[in-house]
C-alpha cells in the first residue's frame, strides 16, 4: 500500500539497495528483481518516490518500478486489481471496460481518493468504475461510502481495534455497491516508525460468488507496551547480573559440625 521503505525517496542507490534487501528478508520475498509477482503487488508511496512536501522526479519513479515492478492492472478470473498513483496523477490503461456485474474491480491507491474529491478521483472512478478502493497514507482505519454523482460521503465508519475474544465483530463485510456508490477502505500502517498508536495488517477475503469482500485487521501489539516490557527485562537482567557478581566475590563461610 505504499511507503514500503522509510526514507527510500531520500536514499542514494547503495542505501536504497540495502533497504530493499532488508525489506525482502522481512517479508520472505524472492531475491530476484523485480520483487513483484502474480500474487505480490506493490504500489509506491511518498516515502518511496517523493510527494507530499517533496518533489517527485522521474528517476525515483523509474527506480521504484525497476525494483518492485508491479503492473498497473492484474486480472484474475472475475477479479481485476487496478493500481493508480495520485502522487503523479497516473493510472493504467483500461484494458477491460466492463461493468461491475461481470467483474469485481478493486482499486489500490496510496493516497485516499474519496476523502478529498479531486479531478483525479473523478477520472479513475469514472474510467474503471471500481466499487472498492483500498488506500493508506493517513495511517488511520476508516470506511467511506461515497455518492459518485454528488461527490460526497453518505456513510463513514471507523474500523476500530477489537479484542481477540470478539473476533466475529472484528470483521467487516461489504456487499456489492450500487452503480452510483463507491466504498473506500483506508488501511492502517503496519510500521511502528510511522508514529501511529494503532498499527496492523489488513486482510481482505474476496467472494466472487456473492460479489462481496470481507475485511479484517490483524492488530500488532502496542509499541509502548513492548518498549516497557523490554525495559523491564533489561533492568531485571542488570539486577541479576550485579547480584551474581556480589555473591561470586563474597567470602563463603563454611561451618563444620562435629
Amino acid at each position: 500500500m505504499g511507503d514500503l521503505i522509510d526514507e527510500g525517496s531520500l536514499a542514494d542507490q547503495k542505501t536504497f539497495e540495502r533497504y530493499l534487501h532488508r525489506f525482502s528478508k522481512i517479508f520472505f520475498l524472492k531475491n530476484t528483481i523485480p520483487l513483484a509477482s502474480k500474487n505480490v503487488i506493490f504500489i509506491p508511496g511518498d516515502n518511496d518516490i517523493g510527494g507530499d512536501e517533496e518533489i517527485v522526479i522521474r528517476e525515483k519513479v523509474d527506480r521504484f518500478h525497476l525494483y518492485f515492478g508491479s503492473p498497473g492492472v492484474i486480472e484474475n478470473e472475475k477479479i481485476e486489481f487496478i493500481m493508480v498513483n495520485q502522487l503523479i496523477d497516473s493510472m493504467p490503461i483500461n484494458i477491460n471496460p466492463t461493468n461491475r456485474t461481470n467483474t469485481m474491480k478493486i482499486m489500490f491507491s496510496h493516497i485516499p481518493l474519496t476523502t478529498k474529491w479531486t479531478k483525479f478521483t473523478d477520472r479513475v472512478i469514472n474510467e474503471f468504475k471500481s466499487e472498492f478502493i483500498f488506500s493508506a497514507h493517513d495511517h488511520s482505519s476508516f470506511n467511506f461510502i461515497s455518492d459518485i454523482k454528488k461527490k460526497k460521503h453518505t456513510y463513514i465508519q471507523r474500523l476500530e481495534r477489537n479484542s481477540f475474544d470478539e473476533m466475529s465483530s472484528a470483521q467487516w463485510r461489504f456487499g456489492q455497491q450500487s452503480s452510483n456508490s463507491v466504498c473506500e477502505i483506508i488501511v492502517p500502517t503496519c510500521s511502528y516508525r510511522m508514529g501511529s498508536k494503532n498499527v496492523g495488517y489488513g486482510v481482505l477475503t474476496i467472494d466472487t460468488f456473492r460479489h462481496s469482500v470481507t475485511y479484517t485487521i490483524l492488530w500488532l501489539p502496542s509499541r509502548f507496551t513492548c518498549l516497557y516490557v523490554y525495559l523491564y527485562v533489561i533492568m531485571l537482567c542488570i539486577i541479576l547480573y550485579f547480584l551474581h557478581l556480589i555473591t561470586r566475590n563474597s567470602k563463603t563461610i563454611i561451618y563444620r559440625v562435629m
Side-chain angles (χ1 to χ4, degrees):
M1 297 303 298
D3 287 350
L4 306 179
I5 300 177
D6 192 26
E7 299 179 355
S9 62
L10 302 176
D12 57 28
Q13 185 62 26
K14 187 175 181 180
T15 306
F16 185 88
E17 291 179 358
R18 188 173 74 249
Y19 288 165
L20 187 77
H21 178 68
R22 182 182 63 186
F23 177 83
S24 61
K25 286 183 64 177
I26 291 173
F27 293 101
F28 302 99
L29 300 172
K30 62 179 184 177
N31 294 323
T32 56
I33 301 301
L35 296 180
S37 64
K38 186 177 180 181
N39 299 318
V40 181
I41 303 170
F42 300 104
I43 59 175
D46 52 287
N47 282 349
D48 304 310
I49 62 172
D52 226 355
E53 298 178 356
E54 184 184 347
I55 298 175
V56 181
I57 59 176
R58 187 76 251 174
E59 287 79 3
K60 295 179 182 179
V61 178
D62 292 341
R63 181 173 67 175
F64 181 89
H65 288 298
L66 173 65
Y67 285 94
F68 289 96
S70 292
V73 177
I74 296 178
E75 291 184 284
N76 186 358
E77 295 182 359
K78 295 183 178 181
I79 308 171
E80 186 175 307
F81 299 109
I82 304 149
M83 276 60 73
V84 301
N85 188 349
Q86 190 172 357
L87 293 168
I88 56 174
D89 285 349
S90 172
M91 67 178 185
I93 297 174
N94 189 0
I95 60 176
N96 184 23
T98 58
N99 57 36
R100 295 178 175 180
T101 305
N102 301 325
T103 305
M104 287 187 67
K105 296 193 174 187
I106 300 176
M107 184 175 291
F108 295 100
S109 170
H110 176 68
I111 304 293
L113 298 177
T114 63
T115 54
K116 183 180 180 182
W117 209 278
T118 64
K119 291 181 179 179
F120 182 78
T121 304
D122 256 343
R123 283 172 51 207
V124 296
I125 290 179
N126 290 324
E127 176 66 25
F128 293 98
K129 297 178 174 57
S130 301
E131 53 189 315
F132 298 107
I133 301 172
F134 287 85
S135 58
H137 186 64
D138 290 344
H139 307 155
S140 57
S141 181
F142 277 95
N143 167 39
F144 294 95
I145 297 179
S146 303
D147 187 299
I148 297 175
K149 291 184 177 180
K150 296 180 180 179
K151 303 178 183 180
K152 66 178 184 179
H153 301 135
T154 58
Y155 180 76
I156 300 175
Q157 178 187 15
R158 179 186 290 273
L159 306 181
E160 296 181 319
R161 193 175 190 131
N162 291 271
S163 60
F164 285 104
D165 58 349
E166 298 176 340
M167 286 304 293
S168 59
S169 61
Q171 298 179 358
W172 298 274
R173 178 179 290 275
F174 304 98
Q176 184 174 10
Q177 303 296 309
S178 68
S179 58
N180 293 324
S181 296
V182 60
C183 173
E184 179 169 23
I185 297 171
I186 300 180
V187 181
T189 180
C190 61
S191 173
Y192 290 119
R193 298 188 67 181
M194 293 300 174
S196 179
K197 181 180 179 181
N198 295 323
V199 296
Y201 291 89
V203 179
L204 178 69
T205 305
I206 304 172
D207 186 345
T208 56
F209 180 75
R210 295 182 176 85
H211 207 97
S212 64
V213 298
T214 301
Y215 174 74
T216 189
I217 303 171
L218 303 180
W219 295 106
L220 297 178
S222 171
R223 178 186 186 184
F224 294 105
T225 300
C226 291
L227 290 176
Y228 292 145
V229 171
Y230 292 154
L231 181 62
Y232 173 78
V233 172
I234 291 172
M235 293 296 295
L236 182 61
C237 291
I238 292 174
I239 293 172
L240 292 176
Y241 176 73
F242 278 108
L243 287 176
H244 170 71
L245 292 178
I246 293 171
T247 54
R248 187 184 65 177
N249 296 329
S250 62
K251 294 182 179 180
T252 304
I253 302 175
I254 300 176
Y255 293 93
R256 186 174 183 183
V257 180
M258 301 299 293

